[in-house]
Amino acid sequence: MSAIGSDTGTTLDNLFGLSGRVAVVTGASSGLGMGFANALADAGATVYAAARRLDRLAALAADNPRLVPVRCDVTSDEDRRMLVDRCYEQSGRLDVLVNNAGKPGPPHAEDETVAGFASILEVNLAAGFHLATYAATRLPEGERASYINISSVIGLVSTAPIGGASYAASKAGTLGLTRELAGQWGRKGIRVNAVVPGWFDTEMTDGLFGNEKSAGWVRRNTMLGRGGNAGEIDGAVLFLASDASTYMTGQTLIVDGGWTAR
């Protein structure tokens, strides 16, 4: 592997490799979360892939020996603590946390219910906060960690008629939470950053790209003229998880084909 700066001897493996590291990815049974889990494992990490659908996680782990499937409902405090504790019991550490689990809400504000709005915020915002907080309490003094929160372009700009009030609130809240936790935990050795995906063809965006009207709307409003392809956001998560970003915290990394820059 070629050196990056011959005076330091830093290599790409040193910068981006995750050998010996332990990671957690929530919402890993499908979509972007599945890609994140595989990318971190391919970089050398042991990845605890967490989701409610254990059968899908088991199938994922069958193809990648570095993946450890864990059934976890992120809205359950018991499950969250079990997930973190299992990392320490089995692997002795937790270096990377990717808060990816989430669900969409209704697109029209008038269709939101009190219970439904609260449910979206619980899954998309509160669950990741509580998981990160517990992980932070378990981090040994002197150790470092990287926490990565997955937001959305819907948390940055209006995407009406697609999006939704509760989802937008949860994803905008994720960005504010990222900055605040970065400020509180930076001197403890914990970096906290956010990744903002644009439009990717996943289970959560089911129907968006299969409909020519909505697919055309994405193409017209994205600088690159298309939606994101599988794997095109994995590098951003790998960058934030690795030593390539050790002087980066409290930041938002946008991977949207230019959607929010137009």
Side-chain angles (χ1 to χ4, degrees):
M1 188 69 70
S2 60
I4 308 297
S6 57
D7 55 332
T8 64
T10 301
T11 66
L12 287 176
D13 283 339
N14 291 344
L15 283 174
F16 294 98
L18 297 176
S19 179
R21 310 281 178 90
V22 174
V24 161
V25 178
T26 65
S29 62
S30 64
L32 298 182
M34 182 183 295
F36 300 153
N38 276 321
L40 296 177
D42 289 344
T46 297
V47 180
Y48 288 78
R52 292 178 298 173
R53 296 175 292 191
L54 187 59
D55 57 333
R56 292 197 179 191
L57 295 174
L60 187 65
D63 295 327
N64 197 324
R66 291 197 180 96
L67 293 178
V68 180
V70 182
R71 188 193 181 283
C72 176
D73 178 353
V74 294
T75 65
S76 164
D77 189 53
E78 180 180 0
D79 280 12
R80 291 191 296 259
R81 289 173 178 267
M82 172 275 298
L83 177 59
V84 173
D85 291 344
R86 184 168 174 183
C87 291
Y88 280 97
E89 290 165 3
Q90 295 183 347
S91 300
R93 59 193 300 129
L94 175 53
D95 305 285
V96 179
L97 169 62
V98 182
N99 278 316
N100 169 72
K103 67 177 183 179
H108 304 299
E110 60 270 26
D111 294 331
E112 299 269 10
T113 66
V114 172
F117 195 97
S119 176
I120 296 298
L121 264 63
E122 181 181 22
V123 175
N124 295 359
L125 179 60
F129 166 72
H130 293 303
L131 181 56
T133 300
Y134 184 61
T137 67
R138 290 296 314 266
L139 186 71
E141 187 174 355
E143 294 294 314
R144 298 185 304 169
S146 174
Y147 298 167
I148 304 164
N149 296 321
I150 307 303
S151 182
S152 168
V153 290
I154 299 173
L156 286 173
V157 297
S158 172
T159 59
I162 297 173
S166 57
Y167 191 79
S170 70
K171 292 305 184 179
T174 295
L175 300 178
L177 182 65
T178 296
R179 291 189 295 270
E180 179 60 23
L181 294 182
Q184 291 194 22
W185 293 344
R187 287 173 174 78
K188 296 181 179 180
I190 301 173
R191 297 186 296 111
V192 188
N193 293 287
V195 172
V196 172
W199 300 107
F200 286 80
D201 191 1
T202 68
E203 187 175 311
M204 187 174 289
T205 58
D206 183 38
L208 178 65
F209 291 96
N211 180 289
E212 181 52 35
K213 182 178 180 180
S214 56
W217 174 75
V218 170
R219 291 195 299 269
R220 288 192 305 274
N221 290 285
T222 303
M223 288 182 175
L224 294 183
R226 61 177 176 84
N229 295 320
E232 287 192 305
I233 196 169
D234 296 346
V237 171
L238 178 58
F239 167 66
L240 293 176
S242 71
D243 287 348
S245 60
T246 51
Y247 197 53
M248 186 172 177
T249 195
Q251 302 304 309
T252 298
L253 191 55
I254 304 171
V255 186
D256 68 350
W259 176 277
T260 56
R262 72 192 193 285

